[in-house]
Amino acid sequence: MQALTFKRGVHPDDCKRYSADKAIEVILPKENAEMFYPMSQHIGAPCEPIVAVGDYVKAGQKIAETGAFMSSPIFSSVSGTVKDIRPMLVPGGATVKSIVIENDGKFEMADGIGTKLDYENMSNTEICAAIKAAGVVGLGGAGFPTHIKLAPPPDKKIDYIIINAAECEPYLTCDYRVMLEQPEKIIRGLKIMLKLHPNAKGVIGIENNKPEAIKVMSELVKDIPNIEVAELLMKYPQGAEKQLIYSITKREVPSTTPPSLPADVGCIVDNVATVMAIGDAIYESKPLMDRVITVSGGAAKNPGNYQIKIGMKISDLMEAIGGFSVEPAKFIAGGPMMGPSMYTLDVASVKTTSGLLCFTKEEAYIPPERGCIRCGKCVEHCPMGLMPFELNRLAIKGLAEEFGNNHGMDCIECGSCSFECPAKRQLAQSIRAMKKIEGGRRAAAAAAARAAAEKK
């Protein structure tokens, strides 16, 4: 069977050889280490602390929440004492109000963790409430609250539950190792999702540069009639939501204002780690408090896949695994195509932290930017069918409204245009910056329109 794929895209070296064969290693924070829990680790309203300085908390205890619909609670991943509530850097570069807990090294668990819920006899509302109560969000990077994604409006008929196991970002292998080492946990999470949508088919999409994962997962689901494995062509950005849906179903999520969602074409898409967290929430009443991340790059002394407690400082992780073999020239949170650069490792790991790349000077080298030659390479490879060179021009000139009229807001910021550009122009970076400006302009215009309507 021919591997499934989408339109356009690029073919970077996957660079997974550095960590693909490294089994997951559990790294625990040291006793007395400070753990940081930022109040915003998801799309939506930030949480507020429900603990105070001096409080003793247990691992798995809820420490922050909000009453907002679009949000997700936050849990301590260690037992210890709340030492402070202060701003802390997160991998994306923002400074976020955070709860600081001093780890006592005992990892005493909160009451109730380990209890299996009888989801077969639970209503959809009860299942989604349990997933929300566990703080599960999209762990592929977006951080969208999972309980909302799993409960689309009643008029949206869901007939595909797609598990994003593509892991198309170069270097990252954490999802791959989870598929090899804990595949049963992925399947139990998928079965819960299918309980919510019993008429849907479960499809696990895996790129064909991961033959062992395809073999393991295929063997596990061979006798499950409503679950199958789809072999995907190794191509970036195969794991992007719209591209993955097209690869598997040949359905296109239309570009509209406001944006259309996967549910509009009958699909729900979740990352491997997210699906495992869904299973943990139901089978173990375990909130989201740890995850597997990949550490890689030529400057990392011990590249590999590490299960860490969310809230652990990245600098503490690097110290625990041996630090660096050479002086690193650049740090990237996540993968090299979409991950943001970091100027320090004194940052908190959060729910969406999937990796850390430690690049040498040679790996981090970026050729000087030259003038656009209108070759059309960026257009040829853009998975969204946009004209990045034109969006780049509009971004440089600060023409936000014209940028929006040319579908700039449809850019998924994958970086394929910058990767293919022979002039090495920073197309994706300029477009990403202008999206924020145009997004702000649209939000301000909408607010002004609402205010005007209220006056009438």
Side-chain angles (χ1 to χ4, degrees):
M1 179 179 174
Q2 188 175 4
L4 304 174
T5 192
F6 60 97
K7 301 174 184 177
R8 298 176 287 275
V10 296
H11 296 273
D13 181 353
D14 70 8
C15 295
K16 297 183 186 292
R17 55 192 173 274
Y18 300 109
S19 58
D21 294 333
K22 304 291 181 67
I24 298 169
E25 182 180 346
V26 176
I27 302 295
L28 296 176
K30 290 182 178 179
E31 185 177 348
N32 300 322
E34 287 189 333
M35 304 286 289
F36 292 84
Y37 302 92
M39 295 295 95
S40 183
Q41 301 188 36
H42 49 265
I43 290 175
C47 292
E48 287 296 329
I50 57 173
V51 293
V53 174
D55 287 354
Y56 179 80
V57 299
K58 296 180 180 180
Q61 179 178 329
K62 187 190 300 183
I63 57 175
E65 64 180 354
T66 175
F69 172 72
M70 181 73 79
S71 192
S72 182
I74 295 167
F75 298 80
S76 176
S77 57
V78 298
S79 55
T81 303
V82 178
K83 303 298 290 186
D84 200 359
I85 298 175
R86 67 174 187 264
M88 180 64 176
L89 273 174
V90 296
T95 300
V96 181
K97 180 168 73 172
S98 305
I99 298 171
V100 185
I101 296 175
E102 184 179 287
N103 175 34
D104 64 7
K106 298 177 182 178
F107 300 100
E108 186 177 357
M109 302 298 288
D111 294 341
I113 294 179
T115 303
K116 181 180 178 180
L117 303 179
D118 182 13
Y119 77 93
E120 291 287 359
N121 292 309
M122 293 168 65
S123 68
N124 285 12
T125 300
E126 290 170 331
I127 292 172
C128 287
I131 292 169
K132 177 182 180 179
V136 181
V137 301
L139 300 181
F144 192 90
T146 300
H147 64 279
I148 297 176
K149 182 181 284 191
L150 293 177
D155 62 323
K156 307 296 182 185
K157 179 189 174 186
I158 302 301
D159 44 25
Y160 281 98
I161 302 289
I162 298 174
I163 306 309
N164 182 358
E167 199 165 44
C168 61
E169 271 277 7
Y171 289 93
L172 300 186
T173 56
C174 46
D175 287 350
Y176 172 67
R177 292 309 311 183
V178 168
M179 285 189 281
L180 293 188
E181 299 179 44
Q182 304 176 50
E184 297 86 358
K185 288 192 173 184
I186 300 168
I187 300 305
R188 75 180 187 181
L190 177 51
K191 287 181 176 179
I192 294 165
M193 300 170 75
L194 290 168
K195 165 68 165 58
L196 294 171
H197 301 281
N199 296 320
K201 174 188 288 186
V203 182
I204 305 168
I206 309 174
E207 282 192 328
N208 59 4
N209 63 338
K210 307 173 185 68
E212 286 301 312
I214 292 175
K215 179 181 177 181
V216 168
M217 299 304 295
S218 296
E219 179 65 23
L220 204 58
V221 305
K222 65 180 183 181
D223 297 322
I224 305 176
N226 60 342
I227 300 177
E228 64 181 43
V229 172
E231 180 181 333
L232 308 173
L233 183 68
M234 189 196 85
K235 184 168 67 169
Y236 181 86
Q238 185 72 257
E241 198 168 58
K242 292 182 179 181
Q243 282 63 42
L244 185 62
I245 289 171
Y246 182 84
S247 293
I248 291 174
T249 71
K250 295 300 179 277
R251 299 176 183 179
E252 294 194 35
V253 181
S255 296
T256 58
T257 302
S260 295
L261 299 173
D264 294 321
V265 295
C267 300
I268 289 175
V269 181
D270 265 316
N271 164 267
V272 164
T274 309
V275 178
M276 189 166 69
I278 290 170
D280 290 346
I282 301 300
Y283 275 79
E284 302 174 29
S285 295
K286 178 186 173 185
L288 181 56
M289 55 183 178
D290 52 38
R291 66 158 299 151
V292 180
I293 76 168
T294 298
V295 176
S296 192
K301 187 174 182 179
N302 293 300
N305 304 286
Y306 300 96
Q307 181 176 310
I308 66 169
K309 297 293 184 182
I310 292 170
M312 186 177 187
K313 287 199 301 182
I314 300 297
S315 55
D316 289 348
L317 168 63
M318 290 309 298
E319 180 184 348
I321 65 173
F324 310 103
S325 55
V326 297
E327 183 68 24
K330 188 173 190 176
F331 299 119
I332 296 177
M337 298 296 284
M338 294 187 71
S341 298
M342 300 190 297
Y343 66 87
T344 177
L345 294 186
D346 191 25
V347 300
S349 62
V350 295
K351 294 178 181 182
T352 54
T353 302
S354 60
L356 171 69
L357 303 185
C358 310
F359 281 171
T360 63
K361 185 177 180 180
E362 292 73 24
E363 290 173 316
Y365 174 69
I366 299 176
E369 193 175 30
R370 301 188 299 275
C372 176
I373 60 173
R374 297 296 192 273
C375 67
K377 285 282 187 181
C378 59
V379 179
E380 179 184 349
H381 292 278
C382 174
M384 293 301 294
L386 305 177
M387 294 195 296
F389 74 90
E390 177 64 8
L391 296 175
N392 173 245
R393 182 186 71 83
L394 297 172
I396 291 171
K397 289 181 174 291
L399 301 174
E401 187 171 0
E402 193 173 345
F403 173 91
N405 292 339
N406 279 270
H407 305 286
M409 300 304 285
D410 291 337
C411 171
I412 60 172
E413 304 177 26
C414 67
S416 295
C417 53
S418 296
F419 177 81
E420 283 292 338
C421 179
K424 303 304 176 187
R425 295 186 65 77
Q426 301 301 308
L427 303 170
Q429 290 84 339
S430 65
I431 294 170
R432 183 181 296 116
M434 183 50 70
K435 280 183 66 179
K436 293 181 180 178
I437 294 171
E438 171 63 1
R441 187 193 71 81
R442 291 186 178 188
R450 287 195 298 271
E454 289 172 0
K455 288 182 179 180
K456 291 183 180 179

